[in-house]
Amino acid sequence: MIYLKTLGIKAIAIGITVLSLFGIFYYANLMNLFWISILLTGVTFLVGDLLILRRFGNVTASIVDFPLAFFVLWLLGSLLIEASIPLVSISLIAAFFIACCEPFIHTYIEEKTEEDNEGGAKPSPDTGRMQTEFAEEFEFDKNENRHDHL
């Protein structure tokens, strides 16, 4: 269920970016932009979120998402969009905006998987480390807080 929500959030962020930038500068067909958004969402989710994020963490996955998004946008744009100006510049700009959204999506994935792990599905990697709390106990005198009204 977490991956469906993540795919939805990712698809919205990528879709807005692709539809906005490519739609404005290239007057591209809406169906082609939709397919670019869906394919880019799938590729970045599989490679960036499922493979790299799990193994190397948020920073590395966010860094890898920029060139990945750029190459996928450039490749699909050159296949599906007739461009009068170079696709490289718009692909770079779109990849930048997508890469800016990725750390938030990765944080969301990490938080939700930690919550699932706490539910008992998988042991958390921090099970060997325990913390201890120290506190002082206060005792109050019952007569100290009583107000006598005469």
Side-chain angles (χ1 to χ4, degrees):
M1 184 66 180
I2 179 173
Y3 294 126
L4 251 68
K5 277 185 173 180
T6 305
L7 273 171
I9 294 168
K10 193 176 202 64
I12 289 170
I14 289 174
I16 288 172
T17 304
V18 169
L19 291 172
S20 298
L21 292 174
F22 284 88
I24 290 171
F25 290 106
Y26 293 109
Y27 305 108
N29 183 2
L30 189 62
M31 189 55 92
N32 290 341
L33 295 179
F34 175 76
W35 281 113
I36 290 172
S37 300
I38 294 298
L39 292 172
L40 179 61
T41 301
V43 168
T44 56
F45 181 74
L46 289 174
V47 175
D49 299 343
L50 293 182
L51 295 176
I52 296 173
L53 179 63
R54 287 185 179 188
R55 291 189 180 135
F56 301 106
N58 191 359
V59 175
T60 306
S62 298
I63 291 170
V64 169
D65 277 331
F66 177 76
L68 181 66
F70 167 70
F71 285 120
V72 170
L73 285 170
W74 188 36
L75 177 70
L76 292 176
S78 63
L79 293 175
L80 298 174
I81 297 173
E82 294 179 21
S84 57
I85 57 175
L87 282 166
V88 174
S89 57
I90 299 301
S91 297
L92 279 171
I93 294 169
F96 172 75
F97 286 121
I98 291 168
C100 288
C101 296
E102 289 296 327
F104 300 109
I105 294 171
H106 295 161
T107 303
Y108 175 78
I109 292 171
E110 288 175 340
E111 286 177 0
K112 291 300 178 181
T113 52
E114 284 178 12
E115 286 176 10
D116 289 346
N117 288 343
E118 289 174 4
K122 294 180 184 175
S124 134
D126 295 334
T127 55
R129 298 185 302 183
M130 295 187 179
Q131 294 181 350
T132 307
E133 281 188 32
F134 295 101
E136 292 183 23
E137 293 184 18
F138 297 104
E139 291 184 26
F140 293 103
D141 188 13
K142 293 181 184 179
N143 294 329
E144 203 176 280
N145 293 330
R146 187 171 46 165
H147 300 283
D148 292 306
H149 297 286
L150 295 176

